[in-house]
Amino acid sequence: MHRSAPRLTRILACAAVPVMLVVAGCSSDSGDKKDADSATSASASPSATKSEPAVEAAKFAELPDPCKAVEAKTVKSLVPSAKSKNGTRGKSSDASVRGGCSWNGLADKGVKGSQYRWLDVGFTRFASDQTLGSGAARAGEEFDKQVKKTEATDGAKNVKTGPVSGIGDQATKITYDQSKTDEDFRFTTIVARTGNVVVVVNYNGAGYAGSKTPDAETILKGATMAAEDAVAAVAEANAGGAESPKATDEPSDDSSKKPSKKPSSSAKATS
């Protein structure tokens, strides 16, 4: 009887083992199911299928003819003895993206000397791109680059930079002096952004043969007049509407539509 008791204990212990394994197995299956449910939920998360918002459409799809962007009366006033009243067109591989024009001339005043004037205007248009960003944002970056580039002009003296109101969405004036051909020149550059287009206007002058150097206010006022004309010309060239969201640098077919009247000039430059 004393030998059978230990044997019975061992039998009961072994019999209990399958029960414990079954319980452990059920617990393991339950954990696997929870993990599978979590994985399924994660794969179905809305963030996994979220798409990027469409980039804002560019405002302008066309550029104006640069040699007609500044009104004839403005050119006559700023460069009265221009060699070519129609201007000299800059070279461009795509006139819908980039363009420019310049005028220059020397007004001979006899014994009073001569007055030299130079005017040029340049346009750069930026299309909206899903990867690169909106045309307006890209134009804003170019605007900043052009301002810094002008401020760093080689040989420039007395450089002053300030905002200009009433020209496009934003505009900055940079005035400075520079000596060339043994003469003192006065310069004003106005960098403006209207929508997705950057406009750069340069106006400068000098006195020759004893004639006085033009004052800074005269040159600033002239550059402002030309910038107002150029920015207004961009709006006129795009009277048909804005660029589509899937814009490219191809010209639109709406350029034939023109407003009846160019907006009047209202900006006032400050020294």
Side-chain angles (χ1 to χ4, degrees):
M1 292 297 292
H2 292 290
R3 293 180 179 178
S4 62
R7 181 180 179 186
L8 178 60
T9 301
R10 289 196 298 271
I11 292 173
L12 291 174
C14 292
V17 170
V19 176
M20 295 174 66
L21 292 176
V22 169
V23 173
C26 290
S27 299
S28 177
D29 288 345
S30 176
D32 291 344
K33 185 175 185 303
K34 289 180 179 179
D35 291 342
D37 290 343
S38 298
T40 302
S41 176
S43 64
S45 174
S47 61
T49 57
K50 186 178 179 180
S51 59
E52 295 183 5
V55 68
E56 180 186 8
K59 184 176 182 179
F60 300 121
E62 296 279 353
L63 287 181
D65 181 333
C67 290
K68 295 180 180 179
V70 180
E71 293 187 355
K73 64 181 181 180
T74 302
V75 173
K76 184 177 181 179
S77 172
L78 302 186
V79 192
S81 299
K83 295 177 181 178
S84 173
K85 297 184 184 300
N86 295 324
T88 301
R89 191 179 303 276
K91 294 181 180 179
S92 176
S93 58
D94 189 342
S96 71
V97 176
R98 184 174 286 102
C101 192
S102 64
W103 299 260
N104 70 89
L106 183 68
D108 187 352
K109 298 184 178 296
V111 295
K112 294 182 179 181
S114 302
Q115 283 288 324
Y116 176 81
R117 294 291 185 272
W118 168 284
L119 170 68
D120 71 64
V121 58
F123 299 87
T124 307
R125 184 180 67 84
F126 294 86
S128 289
D129 184 277
Q130 190 66 40
T131 302
L132 300 177
S134 71
R138 296 174 67 196
E141 294 174 357
E142 178 66 14
F143 175 92
D144 293 336
K145 289 180 182 179
Q146 289 296 329
V147 170
K148 292 178 180 178
K149 178 182 177 181
T150 304
E151 290 175 327
T153 298
D154 187 35
K157 298 177 295 184
N158 304 319
V159 180
K160 296 179 181 179
T161 303
V164 182
S165 62
I167 301 180
D169 296 308
Q170 60 182 137
T172 293
K173 62 181 178 181
I174 306 97
T175 61
Y176 59 96
D177 302 329
Q178 190 178 44
S179 295
K180 299 193 301 180
T181 63
D182 297 325
E183 302 295 341
D184 294 327
F185 280 71
R186 292 262 199 267
F187 284 79
T188 290
T189 295
I190 291 184
V191 182
R193 180 185 67 81
T194 176
N196 57 309
V197 176
V198 174
V199 180
V200 180
V201 170
N202 296 296
Y203 185 50
N204 64 77
Y208 281 85
S211 183
K212 293 183 179 180
T213 302
D215 61 78
E217 184 63 29
T218 296
I219 298 301
L220 174 59
K221 182 178 179 181
T224 303
M225 291 171 57
E228 289 176 333
D229 283 0
V231 169
V234 174
E236 288 186 1
N238 291 270
E243 188 178 53
S244 65
K246 295 182 179 180
T248 65
D249 283 334
E250 294 294 330
S252 73
D253 295 328
D254 296 327
S255 59
S256 60
K257 298 179 181 180
K258 301 284 185 179
S260 58
K261 185 178 181 180
K262 176 182 288 189
S264 60
S265 301
S266 58
K268 293 184 179 179
T270 57
S271 58

